[in-house]
Amino acid sequence: MHDLTLCVKRPEVSHDGFASLATPTYRASTIVFESAEAYANRSKRGPDGYTYGLHGTPTSRTLEASITALEQGLRTVLVPSGQAAITVVFLSVLMPGDTVLIPDSAYPPVAGFCENYLKPRGIAFSVYDPMIGAGIADLIDDTVKLIWTESPGSTTMEVQDIPAIVAAAKARGILTGCDNTWATPLYFKPLAHDMDFSSMALTKYVGGHSDLLMGSIAVKDIALHKKLKDTMRMIGMGVSPDDCALALRGMETMGVRLAHSGRVALNFAKRMAERVPAELVLHPALPGAAGHAEFERDFAGASGVFSLVIPPHAEAALPALLTAAQTFSIGASWGGTHSLLAPMTITRATDLAAHTGTILRINVGLEDESDLWADLEPIVDAVAKAPAAAKSA
Ligand SMILES: *Cc1c(COP(=O)(O)O)cnc(C)c1O
């Protein structure tokens, strides 16, 4: 071979005796075939075969298989974000004329997608109270094809009665899905509760280091896996093997990160609940929290994100207290090693929600516990202080 060819073609090297604990990062757009016949028959390889880099490499398949095992599912697909994990489910199973039910506590862009993307295309949605439980049956008509859940809910932290919702859905042959980002399959397994889809923002705890964006959808039905893969192929959606390698690395430490963050977060929540009216601390493991009984019944643990309701009298003080924090950073997208504070403005479609206004979402990372509490204490003091109006009354 001539030099220019040698620059392009790679010599074979031995892999004999090479055994690494790391998953290789296989990058590919093109997949090559050993014969013209194999190339002609490539579509027969099916959703599990290798045909094009966008549709999977051994690196992405390793991450998929790892998540499938944790979720106790049959297959997992990987998408570019946690939001995409939700939208790909909706796009795969909903047709014009159908309705999807979403909880009022869902990650806010879910309602935005329903209102601004699905609705103009003839797919309806209806927002329900996350604490509805078996009462969801009353919302089911012949157009409802999917019930979405998120437990606990974003920022407001309501734990849903998943078994009751699944039972109502099964009775009518309706698909169910759960955004399982907060608990991860270490603490809750939606598929084991007979749900059809379990989605996660791998961006959060699986990635675990605030440096990647990815989502997963696990299923236990091979036909649903094909539906998801078909949608992704038609839209042209896939993930980078480099990001998959980061997610695989993150998953190796997820158990200890979650155990630590969960312990410290619950400790903080308990300390707060002693200082401020207990109903202002939104943590599912606290007695009195919305869905606390369901949490105790269905979950194996709590992760490191919870919320503090900021009453009107403390709102003015909050920006300066957040800016003054030394160890916490201000930002959304939790689940990494850095602790975060995110003031969230909550609006509700249903009038049943207990809390609207400003809610401070707290993500506990891996820094020293006393350094973190030093940042939180002045905020707790501001909330605990009696409102001025009450004092003069
Ligand atoms: C962050 C988050 C998402 C979206 O994940 P991205 O990767 O940022 O798109 C979805 N659901 C929940 C519960 C989240 O916290």
Side-chain angles (χ1 to χ4, degrees):
M1 283 185 188
H2 297 97
D3 283 357
L4 287 180
T5 303
L6 293 175
C7 285
V8 174
K9 291 267 191 195
R10 292 283 160 257
E12 296 264 344
V13 298
S14 168
H15 285 215
D16 275 3
F18 177 77
S20 165
L21 292 171
T23 304
T25 303
Y26 290 101
R27 298 191 187 86
S29 54
T30 303
I31 306 290
V32 293
F33 295 80
E34 67 281 5
S35 68
E37 195 194 0
Y39 181 70
N41 288 326
R42 65 193 182 283
S43 69
K44 292 188 185 146
R45 293 185 174 189
D48 288 328
Y50 296 113
T51 52
Y52 189 48
L54 188 66
H55 309 320
T57 70
T59 310
S60 60
R61 291 290 154 79
T62 304
L63 178 57
E64 288 171 3
S66 301
I67 294 170
T68 298
L70 278 181
E71 297 264 22
Q72 296 177 356
L74 191 62
R75 290 289 189 286
T76 296
V77 301
L78 300 171
V79 294
S81 69
Q83 170 73 355
I86 301 161
T87 62
V88 165
V89 170
F90 288 20
L91 291 172
S92 297
V93 302
L94 298 171
M95 298 294 280
D98 291 347
T99 300
V100 55
L101 305 182
I102 62 170
D104 212 353
S105 52
Y107 176 67
V110 177
F113 173 71
C114 291
E115 174 68 32
N116 301 308
Y117 191 92
L118 293 183
K119 203 166 107 184
R121 287 163 177 80
I123 297 169
F125 74 105
S126 177
V127 179
Y128 67 89
D129 172 6
M131 300 311 293
I132 196 166
I136 195 109
D138 297 339
L139 303 183
I140 298 175
D141 64 23
D142 289 343
T143 70
V144 174
K145 295 288 151 51
L146 174 68
I147 300 175
W148 193 249
T149 64
E150 181 182 326
S151 186
S154 277
T155 305
T156 44
M157 307 299 293
E158 302 91 338
V159 175
Q160 298 194 246
D161 191 342
I162 297 292
I165 291 173
V166 169
K170 293 276 164 203
R172 301 286 296 269
I174 292 166
L175 294 166
T176 54
C178 181
D179 185 332
N180 199 35
T181 301
W182 182 86
T184 83
L186 291 180
Y187 291 160
F188 184 64
K189 295 188 193 295
L191 301 185
H193 286 270
D194 224 9
M195 299 206 103
D196 298 294
F197 301 98
S198 175
S199 80
M200 263 195 290
L202 305 181
T203 309
K204 308 285 171 54
Y205 280 124
V206 173
H209 295 76
S210 312
D211 55 4
L212 72 92
L213 290 149
M214 204 185 293
S216 63
I217 310 159
V219 294
K220 55 185 165 51
D221 178 306
I222 202 71
L224 289 180
H225 175 247
K226 183 170 185 305
K227 256 188 194 190
L228 296 172
K229 289 293 280 184
D230 285 348
T231 301
M232 290 170 63
R233 194 183 63 252
M234 288 184 278
I235 290 178
M237 184 183 276
V239 296
S240 154
D242 294 270
D243 286 344
C244 291
L246 284 175
L248 282 162
R249 170 186 286 220
M251 194 193 284
E252 292 189 19
T253 57
M254 181 166 72
V256 288
R257 286 187 284 107
L258 239 62
H260 174 85
S261 295
R263 180 186 62 74
V264 176
L266 181 56
N267 183 22
F268 287 170
K270 285 178 175 164
R271 283 161 86 172
M272 287 180 182
E274 286 166 5
R275 302 269 294 274
V276 306
E279 70 272 15
L280 299 183
V281 185
L282 309 181
H283 189 303
L286 293 185
H292 175 67
E294 287 77 5
F295 174 79
E296 291 288 314
R297 184 188 64 195
D298 298 337
F299 284 62
S303 66
V305 174
F306 71 104
S307 300
L308 176 65
V309 179
I310 305 298
H313 74 263
E315 276 198 31
L318 187 66
L321 293 172
L322 295 180
T323 307
Q326 297 293 302
T327 307
F328 278 93
S329 300
I330 301 169
S333 200
W334 40 268
T337 58
H338 292 257
S339 293
L340 298 174
L341 296 170
M344 310 296 285
T345 305
I346 301 298
T347 54
R348 281 291 183 248
T350 60
D351 54 7
L352 297 148
H355 301 293
T356 55
T358 302
I359 300 183
L360 183 63
R361 192 176 63 207
I362 299 160
N363 169 62
V364 175
L366 301 184
E367 305 92 335
D368 178 80
E369 196 170 340
S370 58
D371 287 342
L372 293 171
W373 184 252
D375 283 344
L376 293 177
E377 196 153 36
I379 298 172
V380 175
D381 286 343
V383 172
K385 211 160 63 186
K391 256 194 262 172
S392 60

